[in-house]
Amino acid sequence: MFRRIVAAAGAAAVAACWLAGMAYAPQAHAEDGYDLWLRYRPVQAERTGDYRAQAAQLVAAAATPTQAAARDELLRGLAGLLGTAPRLSETVTRDGAVIVGTPSSSPLIAKLRLHTLALGREGYLIRSVSVEGRQATAIAANDDIGALYGAFHFLRLLQTGQPLQNLDIRESPRVKLRVLNHWDDLDGHVERGYAGASIWDWHKLPDWLDPRYADYARANASLGINGTVLNNVNSKALSLTPMYLEKAAALAEVFRPYGIRVFLSARFSAPIEIGGLETADPLDPEVKRWWRAKAGEIYRLIPDFGGFLVKANSEGQPGPQDYGRSHADGANMLADALAPHGGTVMWRAFVYSHEEPDDRAKQAYSEFVPLDGKFRDNVMVQVKNGAIDFQPREPFHPLFGAMPKTPLMMEFQITKEYLGFATHLVYLAPMYQETLEADTHRRGPGSTVARVIDGSLHGYALTGMAGVANIGADRNWSGSHFDQANWYAYGRQAWNPSLEARDIAEEWVRMTFSNEADVVAPVVGMMMGSREAAVDYMTPLGLHHLMGRGHHYGPAPWIEGGPRADWTSVYYHRATGEGIGFDRTASGSNAVAQYAPPVARRFGDLEQVPEQFLLWFHHVPWDYRTRSGRPLWDELVHRYTRGVDYVRQMRETWRGLDGRIDAQRHAQVAAFLAIQEKEAQWWRDASIAYFQTFSGRPLPAGEAPPAHSLDYYRSLEFPYAPGDGR
Ligand code: BDP
């Protein structure tokens, strides 16, 4: 009963915002970014006639919530894009029909015999067909959700100005689980969130369903994201109590029509905290029983519950090692509780111990590789892209390729914890692509990280990719207009890890800003170089982890002391009067040995190491000759300055687009770019002032000295920087 009421409320919310004409009233309100890439503003005038002719009629059933979602999206989208909604019809009565459905939902699709079987449950095809002599476009799938994904793809064709003739598109996801991780606390705070408070209004759930939840689901479904972990990995046991499970269930009701399953982060010590047990030892029969009962309780409320995400024995979180058990013991116990219901455990490999004196970059590999083959079939180990922590640039994590018997899933960060928060324009798809294309060499050349993640390298039965969300209650969802591109790109690359960052950027710009070539090209250009620029002005040449303590805002390469060495900056850069960099070769921590031999040789050899990882793997003297011919110190300064210059150029480019983009969004981006320039300069100046105390060298000719003294930079404090961990 309860569930039915919520479902009705959810459907009402969708209908309400549909009727309110969110996309039906183009330009009725200034663009504030709420509509994301689903703006559905009128297409270019020269396309309108053709598109109207191709999409004059819509044949779409609405017998299930997912079918209704596809039909409503097509009506909404086409009405917005073409100025007039297509006519709904049961059959094709004229040229220019769009037919959407599955062989079971649509007699027409069944009759067309379109060979959908090989597309799997979530795949779809979009094909130009003829129905009794009338020209039509079929969007066909095996399952309603595939048809919904196909509907979004079809709309994207119009949104990006593609021709609709002779279509023959077949798509299926390369990765099975494409999930967002929300680091949202139950009190509304978002850890590492820069887009305001959490969008989950826990207090008013389950009775009030913010219409935003349905828009969230639409946006995710438009990318093929099919899972969401609602709560922070640093989780509270409270989220597993009946009161909060009802709230999670209400969200699951809203998301279900859009193919999105709900997951929860589970606190390992929950049996003690909310179960009244004395232990959370995974081998204790009482503990096992408690989790089995908890799983049963969850599935009664959320029949398609996805499973648990677990951060254990990491950064002070409880875990199986508290009882002398392994990560596998812990993960398997939870996996056994979920298995009867079809749930999955995503066990994080982001672990490093409180006591361990070893190089932090080595610890996950050391702990997890010996456990390969010891996990249950419904466990995935979730690995961050790099071995430290979401730095502007990291070499790929050595675990990728090293656990052939354990499905490893990727964890990328979409929110920009170490990349300038919301105000820096940093397009992350080139970073995702760089990791996915990296070659682990574990099964010879071509053993890319993408092939580990999509399961093709080791034949994984489960595959997945997680993105730590940048979504919050800000009107524009992501904290800035350009940060929407990172949510978008993550979703697209999770669907297909081989997509090119540039192509994704172009799609997004066309959908978000404009289809005009002289807008698209410069904006894509800005985006494509933006991540490299951030690397330059923050952490060039393989430097890493030099941000402000705790909040990670701004430069602080001078951080030392405190509770643990690997939470300081000096631990990572190791600058002395002689040189700089972390020796991870055989003469140092030997972290290079965790890679396959050809990769280890390349990273470990000064002659061969890609210069972007120079100081990640090597400690080199200040006068070391870099590939440009400049001594290391000069090269560092050169790169810091180059980063700042790039931001200055982005500002120029953006200024040139004044009048070409709606005023409200243009103005906010311009203001944020100004902040970015100021902060890039701050990064450069503070870093140079600090490292010069070691190098003792003058600035290269033509380089401006830092604007302030080192003492000034060191004195800056930011007690209220957003997103802090707790
Ligand atoms: C780090 C964050 C911290 C997270 C941690 C994690 O600083 O807030 O809890 O990662 O991934 O990046 O668990």
Side-chain angles (χ1 to χ4, degrees):
M1 182 61 182
F2 166 76
R3 197 172 307 129
R4 228 171 305 124
I5 293 170
V6 176
V14 180
C17 83
W18 188 68
L19 289 173
M22 197 173 80
Y24 265 106
Q27 314 300 359
H29 54 79
E31 295 224 31
D32 57 14
Y34 181 82
D35 295 340
L36 295 161
W37 47 90
L38 302 176
R39 293 159 57 251
Y40 303 138
R41 296 293 188 272
V43 298
Q44 286 166 295
E46 61 269 28
R47 286 278 185 206
T48 315
D50 176 41
Y51 284 170
R52 277 189 188 156
Q54 302 287 330
Q57 192 169 59
L58 181 63
V59 185
T64 67
T66 303
Q67 289 169 20
R71 192 193 63 176
D72 291 353
E73 197 69 33
L74 285 165
L75 285 172
R76 174 205 296 249
L78 293 170
L81 291 161
L82 307 181
T84 143
R87 248 176 316 127
L88 272 173
S89 169
E90 302 270 302
T91 54
V92 175
T93 58
R94 49 170 297 178
D95 277 338
V98 177
I99 314 160
V100 58
T102 67
S104 49
S105 75
S106 162
L108 266 179
I109 293 285
K111 222 153 102 197
L112 283 165
R113 297 186 181 285
L114 287 168
H115 304 294
T116 53
L117 267 184
L119 297 165
R121 194 180 78 81
E122 297 182 305
Y124 57 86
L125 59 79
I126 305 178
R127 184 167 308 164
S128 303
V129 294
S130 159
V131 178
E132 288 164 13
R134 299 197 175 91
Q135 168 274 322
T137 304
I139 304 172
N142 295 311
D143 189 280
D144 289 347
I145 188 63
L148 176 63
Y149 290 158
F152 277 113
H153 189 139
F154 179 73
L155 288 167
R156 187 162 74 230
L157 296 176
L158 283 81
Q159 290 173 282
T160 55
Q162 307 299 307
L164 297 181
Q165 283 83 8
N166 305 319
L167 294 175
D168 188 8
I169 296 167
R170 294 176 75 86
E171 281 279 339
S172 6
R174 289 240 316 263
V175 173
K176 286 183 186 146
L177 179 59
R178 308 170 297 278
V179 65
L180 286 179
N181 289 185
H182 288 269
W183 285 0
D184 294 18
D185 294 324
L186 299 180
D187 64 359
H189 173 263
V190 181
E191 184 156 343
R192 312 308 172 187
Y194 312 102
S198 171
I199 49 169
W200 317 132
D201 192 344
W202 290 110
H203 185 68
K204 299 196 192 85
L205 281 163
D207 300 312
W208 162 243
L209 293 168
D210 191 325
R212 197 167 185 148
Y213 302 150
D215 286 329
Y216 165 87
R218 287 176 50 234
N220 282 320
S222 78
L223 306 172
I225 289 173
N226 63 3
T228 180
V229 185
L230 300 176
N231 60 325
N232 194 352
V233 286
N234 298 320
S235 62
K236 291 260 188 291
L238 201 61
S239 61
L240 298 175
T241 56
M243 184 200 284
Y244 277 90
L245 291 175
E246 279 200 11
K247 296 169 189 280
L251 289 172
E253 292 284 347
V254 178
F255 302 159
R256 190 166 293 119
Y258 298 91
I260 298 166
R261 292 168 84 187
V262 157
F263 294 73
L264 290 170
S265 292
R267 185 162 166 89
F268 201 77
S269 52
I272 302 173
E273 288 152 15
I274 58 169
L277 302 191
E278 287 192 342
T279 176
D281 181 349
L283 301 194
D284 184 286
E286 282 292 312
V287 171
K288 292 185 188 181
R289 223 185 335 268
W290 188 86
W291 281 108
R292 271 202 306 272
K294 183 53 70 181
E297 180 189 341
I298 296 176
Y299 278 92
R300 275 191 297 281
L301 285 166
I302 311 175
D304 56 352
F305 180 64
F308 295 133
L309 171 65
V310 187
K311 173 177 180 177
N313 293 118
S314 167
E315 300 185 328
Q317 294 298 316
Q321 292 176 341
D322 302 348
Y323 308 95
R325 315 297 184 196
S326 72
H327 284 290
D329 293 330
N332 291 344
M333 182 269 295
L334 293 175
D336 290 343
L338 294 169
H341 312 281
T344 306
V345 172
M346 297 173 288
W347 192 269
R348 296 176 85 225
F350 178 69
V351 298
Y352 59 103
S353 101
H354 261 289
E355 295 78 34
E356 190 73 54
D358 201 3
D359 176 359
R360 175 171 153 188
K362 291 169 62 181
Q363 294 183 34
Y365 181 101
S366 307
E367 283 203 43
F368 277 86
V369 168
L371 300 176
D372 191 25
K374 301 217 163 81
F375 291 95
R376 298 280 192 269
D377 290 347
N378 58 333
V379 176
M380 284 195 268
V381 172
Q382 181 170 311
V383 184
K384 288 188 181 182
N385 57 293
I388 296 295
D389 190 9
F390 296 139
Q391 296 302 296
R393 169 167 277 133
E394 299 197 30
F396 72 88
H397 202 301
L399 273 176
F400 292 119
M403 295 186 68
K405 297 189 213 124
T406 310
L408 300 186
M409 61 186 284
M410 173 64 75
E411 179 177 320
F412 281 131
Q413 194 168 56
I414 307 171
T415 189
K416 305 207 310 303
E417 173 182 1
Y418 296 94
L419 283 137
F421 294 9
T423 46
H424 293 212
L425 194 169
V426 182
Y427 174 53
L428 297 178
M431 183 176 85
Y432 303 152
Q433 186 176 343
E434 183 176 299
T435 305
L436 292 165
E437 283 177 353
D439 195 342
T440 70
H441 280 268
R442 286 290 175 186
R443 296 215 158 155
S447 306
T448 59
V449 172
R451 295 195 52 220
V452 176
I453 297 309
D454 73 12
S456 60
L457 192 67
H458 303 303
Y460 292 158
L462 299 179
T463 55
M465 205 190 280
V468 179
N470 64 354
I471 297 163
D474 274 8
R475 186 69 192 156
N476 66 22
W477 301 85
S478 301
S480 80
H481 298 296
F482 273 92
D483 279 327
Q484 297 178 354
N486 293 328
W487 176 6
Y488 184 87
Y490 162 73
R492 299 285 288 128
Q493 279 176 329
W495 178 274
N496 179 358
S498 304
L499 287 182
E500 293 284 327
R502 177 177 290 276
D503 295 340
I504 299 172
E506 180 169 336
E507 244 173 50
W508 177 80
V509 172
R510 288 178 180 278
M511 297 165 83
T512 305
F513 287 121
S514 168
N515 262 310
E516 304 292 338
D518 56 351
V519 174
V520 175
V523 179
V524 170
M526 284 167 62
M527 292 168 75
M528 286 306 291
S530 60
R531 182 279 190 133
E532 201 62 48
V535 170
D536 277 347
Y537 63 72
M538 290 183 179
T539 50
L541 290 169
L543 288 173
H544 50 290
H545 212 296
L546 307 180
M547 296 72 184
R549 199 199 289 269
H551 50 63
H552 301 155
Y553 173 63
W558 44 80
I559 298 266
E560 56 187 341
R564 41 187 305 162
D566 53 9
W567 284 358
T568 68
S569 303
V570 296
Y571 173 87
Y572 294 100
H573 65 67
R574 305 196 170 204
T576 64
E578 277 76 56
I580 181 171
F582 197 133
D583 182 0
R584 292 191 164 109
T585 68
S587 58
S589 79
N590 206 21
V592 290
Q594 294 185 333
Y595 290 98
V599 182
R601 271 197 300 278
R602 197 157 59 93
F603 287 165
D605 178 0
L606 252 184
E607 298 295 310
Q608 293 183 58
V609 65
E611 209 157 53
Q612 61 196 26
F613 297 132
L614 181 64
L615 305 178
W616 187 284
F617 289 114
H618 299 268
H619 186 85
V620 293
W622 291 108
D623 61 359
Y624 172 79
R625 190 151 295 276
T626 61
R627 286 175 203 153
S628 65
R630 294 183 199 98
L632 178 74
W633 167 247
D634 292 23
E635 182 67 21
L636 261 185
V637 176
H638 167 74
R639 292 192 183 212
Y640 282 124
T641 306
R642 188 173 72 183
V644 183
D645 287 346
Y646 190 88
V647 179
R648 210 167 280 134
Q649 273 165 31
M650 288 202 290
R651 284 189 74 187
E652 272 303 299
T653 307
W654 191 253
R655 209 172 288 135
L657 295 169
D658 195 6
R660 306 300 309 281
I661 284 161
D662 51 284
Q664 187 173 345
R665 290 188 300 165
H666 187 273
Q668 194 191 60
V669 171
F672 282 12
L673 285 169
I675 296 174
Q676 185 177 7
E677 185 185 334
K678 201 162 68 180
E679 295 189 349
Q681 188 73 49
W682 167 36
W683 264 99
R684 172 201 181 270
D685 288 356
S687 305
I688 290 176
Y690 173 73
F691 287 125
Q692 200 173 24
T693 65
F694 297 96
S695 81
R697 291 172 158 248
L699 289 178
E703 290 285 359
H708 301 279
S709 70
L710 177 57
D711 282 347
Y712 165 80
Y713 296 116
R714 292 184 68 134
S715 73
L716 299 175
E717 285 184 29
F718 306 95
Y720 303 116
D724 211 347
R726 290 168 168 182

